[in-house]
Amino acid sequence: MLELLAIAREDGWAFIKKDGQLILLKPPYRDSNLVRVCEDIIEKAVSLHGFEPIHESYPGWGPLVDFLRAELAKVRQSKLGILDDAELKFELLRDAPREILEYYLHRTESELIPNGEWNAALDVLTLLMRVDIVRQDANLCQHAIALLQKCNAGLAANGRNRAELTAEGVVRLFPGVAQKYPVASVMEYMRNVAERHQVMPVGA
Amino acid sequence: MTTITFYSYKGGVGRSLAVANVARYLAGFGQRVFAIDFDLEAPGLHYKFALDAGNGAAQIKQGVVDYISAFRTGGQPPDSLSDYVVPVETADKEAQSGKIWLMPAGSVTSASYWRLLAQISWHDLFYSDAAPGVPLFLELKQQIEQQFKPDFLLIDSRTGITEVGGVATTVLPEKLVCLLMRNRENLDGAREVLRSIKRVPRLPGQPEIEVVPVLTRIPESGEVGWEEEVVAKVHEFSMNQHQISR
């Protein structure tokens, strides 16, 4: 049985008693974040650090962690006005140092964009563009804008190609093929491969 | 340009080595040869051209996987192949007029190669609505012909039954060199693949694929009748193919 003795709802920290031992638990809720503490610390935590005394019992760690997570979410929604995941990410990035912001720009450029993950890249860049440091730093801002333009171009090209891989699409994208073979035959070949789900039609 | 694919149902038959040797042999006759490594999961053709160390390795920055990836992200094939191709040094006698270029699978010592390979969706390329895989590889062949003007395009195909192996064996070649070992596993697998190749329709202007079976790694037993037995095996295999094609 776990006894919850005090909680800091805004950051999810909690004092718990288990088998006579006082334990401090903080997010993320993992074994490595369970710290044994002295009895007298809880008094200071309540009087000086804004912990709220509470007396509730839980049959195990699962229900206790669920409760702490629910409390944390409630506080975020009510006090910080954080309504969704994007808002939470923005809260995290808002006060991040320049190096961290540069790091996210670099990862967007080197991982998301080359892999054609345009929407994920746009999400990150949109968040970054809301951060004051990015908007006020000419280099960061230009970098982010250039990446946004790449994403827009990529999305546009992808949409166009998906929608238009008709005979006209084949002519536009594969001019060498269109010059060498009748486009209708190429389209029929493509359809055959797609229908039989085999490039090499093995088996009876 | 004549396109010859080197295929084997199983590995370890000396397929890549055969591609490299044929390329050098043709270059020795003053021919312009373009070799391409389609064995994307186990690339190794660059080793056979001694491009695995020193300057050679440094030259290989991109290849087939990067070409496909550029199409996936850019929405159209790259205009120029120059970033994806490396020249192969030829011996003095070959250098007089022959040339060899290699389009490797990619920079296989980098993590990004394997990441890009894992991100290729063969389903999207070949089996989704309006899948662009077939014209993409045909366009690559056209680009090779237009930009390098080779006399021969030699393709080192993936073993077994795969999408990229299917492209190499059914979509692109005029000739198919099928390397075989003399055991039932090799012969049955290869026979099934060759049957399928005969069934595949060709585009207008594409000739029927000419299949050349090559028996490899023949143990030299020295026993009486051994040579006749090997010849009979190849003959039997060829006869089966002939019957299939009819």
Side-chain angles (χ1 to χ4, degrees), chain A residues 110-111 113-118 154 157-158 160-162 165-166 170 172-182 185-186 189-190 192-204, chain B residues 7 69 71-77 115-116 119 123 126-128 130-132 134-136 138-139 142 145-146 160-161 163 165-167 169-171 192-193 196 199-201 203-204 206:
Chain A
S110 62
E111 293 178 21
I113 290 177
N115 294 331
E117 293 177 34
W118 310 116
N158 260 11
R160 214 169 40 235
N161 296 338
R162 276 213 190 92
L165 201 56
T166 54
V170 170
R172 183 170 54 78
L173 289 175
F174 309 110
V177 175
Q179 212 171 18
K180 176 107 178 172
Y181 306 106
S185 305
V186 176
Y189 199 110
M190 289 160 61
N192 283 340
V193 168
E195 276 171 17
R196 68 173 180 252
H197 246 71
Q198 283 182 310
V199 181
M200 184 195 287
V202 179
Chain B
Y7 174 81
S69 180
F71 173 77
R72 198 167 63 83
T73 55
Q76 57 187 35
R115 200 165 49 231
L116 289 178
Q119 283 164 351
H123 180 275
F126 291 103
Y127 310 134
S128 60
V134 168
L136 174 64
L138 285 169
E139 184 71 16
Q142 289 304 110
E145 185 161 20
Q146 285 161 9
I161 318 279
E163 276 73 21
V167 169
T169 53
T170 63
V171 179
E192 191 55 43
V193 167
S196 85
R199 280 203 294 265
V200 170
L203 287 164
Q206 284 188 320

Side-chain angles (χ1 to χ4, degrees), chain A residues 76-77 80-85 87-88:
Chain A
R76 279 178 177 160
Q77 282 194 15
L80 298 174
I82 297 168
L83 298 174
D84 57 27
D85 203 33
E87 286 301 309
L88 177 59

Side-chain angles (χ1 to χ4, degrees), chain A residues 20-111:
Chain A
Q21 290 277 348
L22 188 63
I23 295 166
L24 173 65
L25 172 63
K26 58 184 180 176
Y29 301 116
R30 298 183 186 132
D31 285 348
S32 55
N33 280 342
L34 285 170
V35 183
R36 278 189 190 175
V37 290
C38 304
E39 288 283 341
D40 60 345
I41 204 170
I42 195 164
E43 240 174 74
K44 284 183 193 164
V46 171
S47 59
L48 299 174
H49 301 298
F51 273 76
E52 182 188 328
I54 187 172
H55 286 284
E56 287 184 10
S57 297
Y58 294 87
W61 289 108
L64 173 62
V65 166
D66 286 347
F67 169 75
L68 293 174
R69 283 197 177 124
E71 288 302 299
L72 203 53
K74 260 192 244 170
V75 170
R76 279 178 177 160
Q77 282 194 15
S78 61
K79 290 196 177 172
L80 298 174
I82 297 168
L83 298 174
D84 57 27
D85 203 33
E87 286 301 309
L88 177 59
K89 286 175 190 158
F90 174 63
E91 287 296 323
L92 294 170
L93 282 176
R94 190 178 54 187
D95 301 316
R98 192 180 191 282
E99 304 87 74
I100 298 289
L101 301 169
E102 265 183 323
Y103 169 76
Y104 280 110
L105 276 176
H106 170 73
R107 285 193 60 179
T108 304
E109 185 169 30
S110 62
E111 293 178 21

